Amino acid sequence: MSKDVWVRYTRPEDADELLDWATRAKDINLADPEILNYKRISFLCAHRDGKNIVYMPVQVTLTLESLCPNPEASELEMAQALKALIQRAVSMAEEQEIREIYFVCKDERVVKLAERHGFTEILWKVLSLDIRDLEKKVPVAEAELAAT
């Protein structure tokens, strides 16, 4: 038996298994069934020795990274600017057929403004990986991952 796990794009013959596993994992799985209709999505399959191990949908999203406000801007100006920025981001997403926009923010005043424009707080962890840092990181041993 090979130790290596390989990853490939899903194939049409994977569809029934993918849907079955997604349904069985619904209590721990955050997948939205609507993603099957997204145009900017791919499905990956990790496998070893002819055995599929896990499927993962990978979608392109638009991330509003942060704000760099003028320290002298009034709250009204900030509210108007944020509204305009969100409207433009929505247009960008539509132009690129992207279905979801994420906004990274910790300023509660801005959070409240964003919520007034349709954003909702995500209640689970969102992890970040800056691929420029990959060479600096020490790989986690497979045994450590298996223990978690």
Side-chain angles (χ1 to χ4, degrees):
M1 180 168 165
S2 169
K3 289 184 182 181
D4 294 328
V5 172
W6 298 95
V7 176
R8 61 170 170 76
Y9 288 105
T10 55
R11 300 174 180 144
E13 60 266 23
D14 295 324
D16 290 340
E17 183 176 71
L18 187 158
L19 289 172
D20 177 51
W21 291 4
T23 302
R24 290 175 186 234
K26 67 184 176 186
D27 293 339
I28 62 167
N29 189 346
L30 301 174
D32 176 356
E34 282 296 309
I35 63 173
L36 297 173
N37 300 317
Y38 291 11
K39 292 187 178 185
R40 301 285 306 266
I41 194 158
S42 299
F43 290 87
L44 301 178
C45 176
H47 61 95
R48 174 189 296 153
D49 295 330
K51 175 184 173 185
N52 295 336
I53 300 168
V54 65
Y55 294 102
M56 175 185 280
V58 178
Q59 70 166 303
V60 175
T61 64
L62 192 65
T63 301
L64 308 181
E65 167 66 29
S66 57
L67 295 175
C68 306
N70 179 340
E72 297 173 9
S74 71
E75 284 200 35
L76 177 59
E77 288 174 316
M78 282 297 299
Q80 292 169 332
L82 186 60
K83 178 181 178 182
L85 289 165
I86 290 171
Q87 288 172 333
R88 181 61 185 120
V90 168
S91 294
M92 290 170 63
E94 288 176 346
E95 291 163 4
Q96 299 174 48
E97 298 186 36
I98 294 172
R99 296 285 301 265
E100 294 186 33
I101 300 174
Y102 292 93
F103 187 9
V104 179
C105 180
K106 72 176 196 176
D107 183 332
E108 283 302 317
R109 298 169 302 166
V110 176
V111 168
K112 297 225 181 297
L113 288 170
E115 287 175 341
R116 279 189 248 156
H117 292 288
F119 282 85
T120 57
E121 184 175 354
I122 297 174
L123 300 177
W124 49 85
K125 292 184 181 189
V126 176
L127 307 175
S128 171
L129 174 63
D130 186 331
I131 62 172
R132 297 170 298 179
D133 293 336
L134 286 177
E135 291 185 20
K136 300 175 194 173
K137 295 184 187 257
V138 178
V140 177
E142 285 185 21
E144 286 181 37
L145 284 175
T148 59

